[in-house]
Amino acid sequence: MIRLRIHPDAAAAAHDVAAVLRSTVVASPACVLGLPTGRTPIPVYAQIVEWVASGAMSLEDVTTFNLDEFVGLGPDAEGSFQAFMRHHLFGRVDRRPAPRNFLDGLALDLDLEAARFERAIDDAGGLDLVVLGLGTNGHIGFNEPASELPARTHVVSLTDETRVANADGFAGEVPRVPTRAITMGVGTILAAREVILLATGASKADAVAAACEGPLTTHVPASLLQLHPRVTVVLDAAAAARLSRA
Ligand code: GLP
């Protein structure tokens, strides 16, 4: 069952998600979080950086797992999600080394890397809260629409639509966006105790409606979130525009 929270604008929606993260972390300082990249969560991370600076919260004891990474990119490569997280969050809040987990896009054996990541999540006690963005085609993490989806962390080929959407990290040059990625599976995400998805802007409106109100289908990976007992979808008015129950 998806709970919807609709805000007038993207800033209010991001503030809502940041506040959920803050209450989770304040209630449980050693919690385990799954975190997304993309343009949408940037204001969420900016708010958290502010709260950490003011002492309203701390990420020092929080374990984090990022959802996905491009294949072929190391931690310092332009466009890598690890570099993104350092730039927007970890480089600004971690005063001492904290357990930050990433998929290694340079791993020689990507299947072994996927298995290692799943084990690390298990060893951490599972994910308490996963924050998600949403692709315009309904993807979550990098689980692209397909007739079948591997449940757990795996390698994927990226659609052209997704490579175009990710060109920002590569100076707008689509050919430089890697063609493959490694991502938590939908099963990994559904195993989290709580899920919160943030989508803002009119370009997400169709995907939001399909995810929240459409049938369950691997062709809209986010629709599988309807199976989760504790999922909240946080939207601005533009992203909510195609919902019939909004
Ligand atoms: C990428 C990420 C997703 C993210 C999506 C949406 O494909 N792998 O996790 O949700 O982009 O990005 P944006 O927030 O920039 O629209």
Side-chain angles (χ1 to χ4, degrees), residues 36-41 67-68 81 133-135 139 141-142 162 165-166 204:
T37 50
R39 274 156 297 191
T40 316
L67 286 166
D68 46 15
F81 289 161
L134 180 67
H139 76 230
F142 265 138
T162 296
N166 277 275
K204 302 290 171 73

Side-chain angles (χ1 to χ4, degrees), residues 166-229:
N166 277 275
D168 266 15
F170 301 85
E173 296 171 30
V174 181
R176 287 176 53 209
V177 181
T179 54
R180 291 191 308 157
I182 179 164
T183 181
M184 281 186 199
V186 174
T188 319
I189 293 166
L190 289 176
R193 291 173 194 98
E194 183 175 358
V195 178
I196 185 160
L197 181 147
L198 174 64
T200 53
S203 67
K204 302 290 171 73
D206 285 330
V208 164
C212 298
E213 295 179 339
L216 300 186
T217 167
T218 56
H219 294 286
V220 182
S223 68
L224 302 173
L225 295 175
Q226 294 178 41
L227 293 168
H228 196 283

Side-chain angles (χ1 to χ4, degrees), residues 5-24 39-51 54 56-57 129 131 196-200 232 234-236:
R5 286 213 293 260
I6 301 168
H7 296 274
D9 54 43
H15 188 275
D16 184 0
V17 172
V20 170
L21 277 165
R22 186 180 62 178
S23 15
T24 303
R39 274 156 297 191
T40 316
I42 290 175
V44 176
Y45 295 146
Q47 178 63 73
I48 287 174
V49 167
E50 240 180 86
W51 281 334
S54 72
M57 66 185 286
L129 171 65
V131 183
I196 185 160
L197 181 147
L198 174 64
T200 53
T232 307
V234 179
L235 305 169
D236 67 353

Side-chain angles (χ1 to χ4, degrees), residues 101-170:
N101 296 279
F102 289 93
L103 282 154
D104 178 5
L106 292 179
L108 291 178
D109 186 329
L110 293 165
D111 293 335
L112 271 184
E113 173 59 5
R116 177 198 69 79
F117 198 68
E118 287 285 334
R119 247 189 342 267
I121 294 173
D122 278 353
D123 290 348
L127 298 163
D128 291 308
L129 171 65
V130 175
V131 183
L132 299 173
L134 180 67
T136 51
N137 61 4
H139 76 230
I140 46 177
F142 265 138
N143 292 277
E144 294 278 43
S147 52
E148 289 183 349
L149 293 174
R152 297 289 169 166
T153 301
H154 62 283
V155 177
V156 284
S157 294
L158 300 177
T159 61
D160 290 344
E161 182 176 345
T162 296
R163 292 181 64 229
V164 170
N166 277 275
D168 266 15
F170 301 85

